[in-house]
Coordinates of all heavy atoms in Angstrom, one line a residue:
S67 N 20.4 19.9 -16.6 CA 20.2 21.3 -16.8 C 20.4 21.8 -18.2 O 20.2 23.0 -18.5 CB 21.2 22.1 -15.8 OG 22.5 21.7 -16.1
M68 N 20.9 20.9 -19.1 CA 21.0 21.3 -20.5 C 19.8 20.9 -21.2 O 19.7 21.1 -22.5 CB 22.2 20.6 -21.1 CG 23.5 21.2 -20.7 SD 23.8 23.0 -21.1 CE 23.5 23.7 -19.4
R69 N 18.7 20.3 -20.6 CA 17.6 19.9 -21.3 C 16.5 21.0 -21.2 O 16.7 22.1 -20.5 CB 17.0 18.7 -20.6 CG 18.0 17.5 -20.7 CD 17.5 16.2 -19.9 NE 18.5 15.3 -19.7 CZ 18.5 14.4 -18.7 NH1 17.6 14.4 -17.8 NH2 19.5 13.5 -18.6
L70 N 15.4 20.8 -21.8 CA 14.3 21.8 -21.9 C 13.8 22.0 -20.4 O 13.5 21.0 -19.8 CB 13.2 21.3 -22.7 CG 12.1 22.3 -23.0 CD1 12.5 23.5 -23.9 CD2 10.9 21.5 -23.7
A71 N 13.6 23.2 -19.9 CA 13.1 23.4 -18.6 C 11.6 23.7 -18.7 O 11.1 24.6 -19.3 CB 13.7 24.7 -18.0
L72 N 10.8 22.7 -18.2 CA 9.4 22.8 -18.3 C 8.8 23.7 -17.4 O 7.7 24.2 -17.6 CB 8.8 21.4 -18.2 CG 9.2 20.4 -19.3 CD1 8.5 19.0 -19.0 CD2 8.8 20.9 -20.6
D73 N 9.4 24.0 -16.1 CA 8.8 24.9 -15.2 C 8.8 26.2 -15.6 O 8.0 27.1 -15.0 CB 9.6 24.6 -13.9 CG 11.0 25.2 -13.9 OD1 11.6 24.9 -14.9 OD2 11.5 25.9 -13.0
H74 N 9.6 26.6 -16.5 CA 9.7 28.1 -17.1 C 10.0 27.9 -18.5 O 11.2 28.2 -18.9 CB 10.8 28.8 -16.2 CG 10.9 30.2 -16.6 ND1 9.8 30.9 -17.2 CD2 11.8 31.1 -16.3 CE1 10.2 32.3 -17.3 NE2 11.4 32.4 -16.9
P75 N 9.0 27.7 -19.3 CA 9.3 27.5 -20.7 C 9.9 28.6 -21.5 O 10.8 28.4 -22.3 CB 7.9 27.1 -21.3 CG 7.0 26.6 -20.1 CD 7.6 27.5 -19.0
F76 N 9.4 29.8 -21.2 CA 10.0 30.9 -21.9 C 11.1 31.6 -21.1 O 11.2 32.7 -20.9 CB 8.9 32.1 -22.1 CG 8.1 31.9 -23.3 CD1 6.8 31.5 -23.2 CD2 8.7 32.2 -24.6 CE1 6.0 31.3 -24.4 CE2 7.9 32.0 -25.7 CZ 6.5 31.6 -25.6
S77 N 12.0 30.7 -20.7 CA 13.2 31.1 -19.9 C 14.4 31.4 -20.8 O 14.5 30.8 -22.0 CB 13.6 30.1 -19.0 OG 14.1 28.9 -19.6
P78 N 15.4 32.3 -20.5 CA 16.6 32.5 -21.3 C 17.4 31.3 -21.5 O 18.0 31.0 -22.5 CB 17.3 33.5 -20.4 CG 16.4 34.2 -19.7 CD 15.3 33.3 -19.4
R79 N 17.4 30.4 -20.5 CA 18.0 29.0 -20.6 C 17.5 28.2 -21.8 O 18.2 27.7 -22.6 CB 17.8 28.3 -19.3 CG 18.1 26.8 -19.4 CD 17.9 26.2 -18.0 NE 17.7 24.8 -18.0 CZ 17.3 24.0 -17.0 NH1 17.0 24.5 -15.9 NH2 17.1 22.7 -17.2
N80 N 16.1 28.2 -21.9 CA 15.5 27.5 -23.1 C 15.8 28.2 -24.4 O 15.9 27.6 -25.5 CB 14.0 27.4 -22.9 CG 13.7 26.3 -21.9 OD1 14.5 25.5 -21.4 ND2 12.4 26.2 -21.5
W81 N 15.9 29.5 -24.3 CA 16.2 30.3 -25.5 C 17.6 30.0 -26.0 O 17.8 29.7 -27.2 CB 16.2 31.8 -25.1 CG 16.8 32.8 -26.1 CD1 17.8 33.7 -25.9 CD2 16.3 33.1 -27.4 NE1 18.0 34.4 -27.0 CE2 17.1 34.1 -27.9 CE3 15.3 32.5 -28.3 CZ2 17.0 34.5 -29.3 CZ3 15.3 33.0 -29.6 CH2 16.0 34.0 -30.0
V82 N 18.6 29.9 -25.1 CA 20.0 29.4 -25.5 C 19.9 28.0 -26.0 O 20.6 27.7 -27.0 CB 20.9 29.6 -24.4 CG1 22.3 29.1 -24.7 CG2 21.0 31.1 -23.9
L83 N 19.2 27.1 -25.4 CA 19.0 25.8 -25.9 C 18.5 25.7 -27.3 O 19.0 25.0 -28.2 CB 18.1 24.9 -24.9 CG 17.8 23.5 -25.4 CD1 19.0 22.7 -25.4 CD2 16.8 22.9 -24.4
F84 N 17.5 26.5 -27.6 CA 17.0 26.7 -29.0 C 18.1 27.1 -29.9 O 18.2 26.6 -31.0 CB 15.8 27.6 -28.9 CG 15.3 28.0 -30.3 CD1 14.6 27.2 -31.1 CD2 15.7 29.3 -30.8 CE1 14.2 27.5 -32.4 CE2 15.3 29.7 -32.1 CZ 14.5 28.8 -32.9
L85 N 18.8 28.2 -29.6 CA 19.9 28.7 -30.5 C 20.9 27.7 -30.7 O 21.3 27.5 -31.9 CB 20.4 30.0 -29.9 CG 19.5 31.1 -29.7 CD1 20.2 32.4 -29.1 CD2 18.8 31.6 -31.0
F86 N 21.3 27.0 -29.7 CA 22.4 25.9 -29.9 C 21.8 24.8 -30.7 O 22.5 24.1 -31.5 CB 22.9 25.5 -28.6 CG 24.2 26.3 -28.1 CD1 24.1 26.8 -26.9 CD2 25.3 26.4 -28.9 CE1 25.1 27.6 -26.4 CE2 26.4 27.1 -28.5 CZ 26.3 27.7 -27.2
T87 N 20.6 24.4 -30.5 CA 19.9 23.4 -31.3 C 19.9 23.8 -32.8 O 20.1 22.9 -33.7 CB 18.4 23.0 -30.8 OG1 18.5 22.7 -29.5 CG2 17.8 22.0 -31.6
L88 N 19.5 25.0 -33.0 CA 19.5 25.5 -34.4 C 21.0 25.5 -35.0 O 21.1 25.0 -36.1 CB 19.1 27.0 -34.4 CG 19.2 27.8 -35.7 CD1 18.2 27.2 -36.7 CD2 18.9 29.2 -35.5
Q89 N 21.9 25.9 -34.3 CA 23.3 25.9 -34.8 C 23.9 24.5 -34.9 O 24.7 24.3 -35.8 CB 24.2 26.8 -33.9 CG 25.5 27.1 -34.5 CD 26.3 28.2 -33.8 OE1 26.9 27.9 -32.8 NE2 26.2 29.4 -34.3
L90 N 23.8 23.6 -33.8 CA 24.4 22.4 -33.8 C 23.7 21.2 -34.4 O 24.3 20.2 -34.7 CB 24.8 22.1 -32.4 CG 25.6 23.1 -31.6 CD1 25.9 22.6 -30.1 CD2 26.9 23.4 -32.3
I91 N 22.4 21.4 -34.6 CA 21.6 20.2 -35.1 C 21.0 20.7 -36.4 O 21.1 19.9 -37.4 CB 20.5 19.9 -34.0 CG1 21.2 19.4 -32.7 CG2 19.6 18.8 -34.6 CD1 22.0 18.1 -32.8
V92 N 20.1 21.7 -36.4 CA 19.3 22.0 -37.5 C 20.1 22.4 -38.7 O 19.9 21.9 -39.8 CB 18.3 23.2 -37.2 CG1 17.5 23.6 -38.5 CG2 17.3 22.7 -36.1
I93 N 21.1 23.3 -38.6 CA 21.9 23.7 -39.7 C 22.8 22.6 -40.3 O 22.8 22.5 -41.5 CB 22.8 25.0 -39.3 CG1 21.8 26.2 -39.1 CG2 23.9 25.2 -40.3 CD1 22.5 27.5 -38.7
P94 N 23.5 21.7 -39.5 CA 24.1 20.6 -40.1 C 23.2 19.7 -40.9 O 23.6 19.2 -41.9 CB 24.7 19.9 -38.9 CG 25.0 21.0 -37.9 CD 23.8 22.0 -38.1
V95 N 21.9 19.5 -40.4 CA 21.1 18.6 -41.1 C 20.7 19.4 -42.4 O 20.6 18.7 -43.5 CB 19.7 18.4 -40.3 CG1 18.6 17.9 -41.2 CG2 20.1 17.5 -39.1
L96 N 20.4 20.6 -42.4 CA 20.2 21.4 -43.7 C 21.4 21.3 -44.6 O 21.1 21.2 -45.9 CB 19.9 22.9 -43.4 CG 18.5 23.2 -42.7 CD1 18.4 24.7 -42.4 CD2 17.4 22.8 -43.5
I97 N 22.5 21.4 -44.1 CA 23.7 21.2 -45.0 C 23.7 19.9 -45.7 O 24.0 19.8 -46.8 CB 25.0 21.5 -44.2 CG1 25.1 23.0 -43.8 CG2 26.2 21.2 -45.0 CD1 26.2 23.3 -42.8
I98 N 23.4 18.8 -44.9 CA 23.4 17.5 -45.4 C 22.3 17.3 -46.5 O 22.6 16.7 -47.5 CB 23.2 16.4 -44.3 CG1 24.4 16.5 -43.3 CG2 22.9 15.1 -44.8 CD1 24.1 15.6 -42.1
L99 N 21.1 17.9 -46.2 CA 20.0 17.7 -47.1 C 19.9 18.6 -48.2 O 19.6 18.2 -49.4 CB 18.7 17.8 -46.3 CG 18.5 16.8 -45.1 CD1 17.2 17.0 -44.4 CD2 18.5 15.3 -45.7
L100 N 20.3 19.9 -48.0 CA 20.1 20.9 -49.1 C 21.4 21.6 -49.5 O 21.4 22.3 -50.5 CB 19.1 22.0 -48.6 CG 17.8 21.5 -48.2 CD1 16.9 22.6 -47.6 CD2 17.1 20.9 -49.3
G101 N 22.5 21.3 -48.9 CA 23.8 21.8 -49.2 C 24.1 23.1 -48.4 O 23.4 23.6 -47.7
L102 N 25.3 23.6 -48.6 CA 25.8 24.8 -48.0 C 25.2 26.1 -48.6 O 25.4 26.2 -49.8 CB 27.4 24.9 -48.0 CG 28.1 23.9 -47.1 CD1 29.6 23.7 -47.6 CD2 28.1 24.3 -45.7
G103 N 24.7 27.0 -47.8 CA 24.3 28.2 -48.3 C 25.4 29.2 -48.3 O 26.1 29.2 -47.3
S104 N 25.6 29.9 -49.4 CA 26.7 30.9 -49.5 C 26.4 32.2 -48.9 O 27.3 33.0 -48.5 CB 27.2 31.1 -50.9 OG 26.1 31.5 -51.7
G105 N 25.1 32.6 -48.9 CA 24.8 34.0 -48.3 C 25.6 35.1 -49.0 O 25.6 35.1 -50.3
P106 N 26.2 35.9 -48.3 CA 26.9 37.0 -48.9 C 28.4 36.7 -49.4 O 29.0 37.5 -49.9 CB 27.0 38.0 -47.8 CG 27.1 37.3 -46.6 CD 26.2 36.0 -46.8
L107 N 28.8 35.5 -49.1 CA 30.1 35.1 -49.5 C 30.3 34.9 -50.9 O 29.5 34.3 -51.7 CB 30.4 33.7 -48.8 CG 30.3 33.6 -47.2 CD1 30.8 32.3 -46.8 CD2 31.2 34.7 -46.6
S108 N 31.4 35.4 -51.5 CA 31.7 35.3 -52.9 C 32.1 33.9 -53.2 O 32.0 33.4 -54.4 CB 32.8 36.2 -53.3 OG 34.0 36.0 -52.4
A109 N 32.7 33.2 -52.3 CA 33.1 31.8 -52.4 C 33.1 31.0 -51.1 O 33.4 31.7 -50.0 CB 34.5 31.7 -53.1
L110 N 32.7 29.8 -51.1 CA 32.7 29.0 -49.8 C 34.2 28.7 -49.5 O 34.9 28.5 -50.3 CB 31.8 27.7 -50.0 CG 30.4 27.9 -50.2 CD1 29.7 26.6 -50.6 CD2 29.7 28.4 -48.9
P111 N 34.3 28.5 -48.1 CA 35.7 28.2 -47.7 C 36.0 26.7 -47.9 O 35.0 26.0 -48.2 CB 35.7 28.4 -46.2 CG 34.2 28.4 -45.9 CD 33.4 28.9 -47.0
S112 N 37.2 26.3 -47.8 CA 37.5 24.8 -48.1 C 36.9 24.0 -47.0 O 36.6 24.5 -45.9 CB 39.0 24.7 -48.1 OG 39.6 25.0 -46.9

Side-chain angles (χ1 to χ4, degrees):
S67 57
M68 289 298 106
R69 301 169 192 159
L70 187 68
L72 296 181
D73 67 317
H74 185 18
F76 274 107
S77 64
R79 166 183 156 186
N80 283 351
W81 169 240
V82 175
L83 175 64
F84 168 77
L85 296 178
F86 272 122
T87 302
L88 173 66
Q89 189 173 80
L90 305 181
I91 300 293
V92 175
I93 288 180
V95 167
L96 288 177
I97 291 173
I98 291 172
L99 297 178
L100 303 175
L102 288 159
S104 59
L107 303 180
S108 57
L110 290 171
S112 64

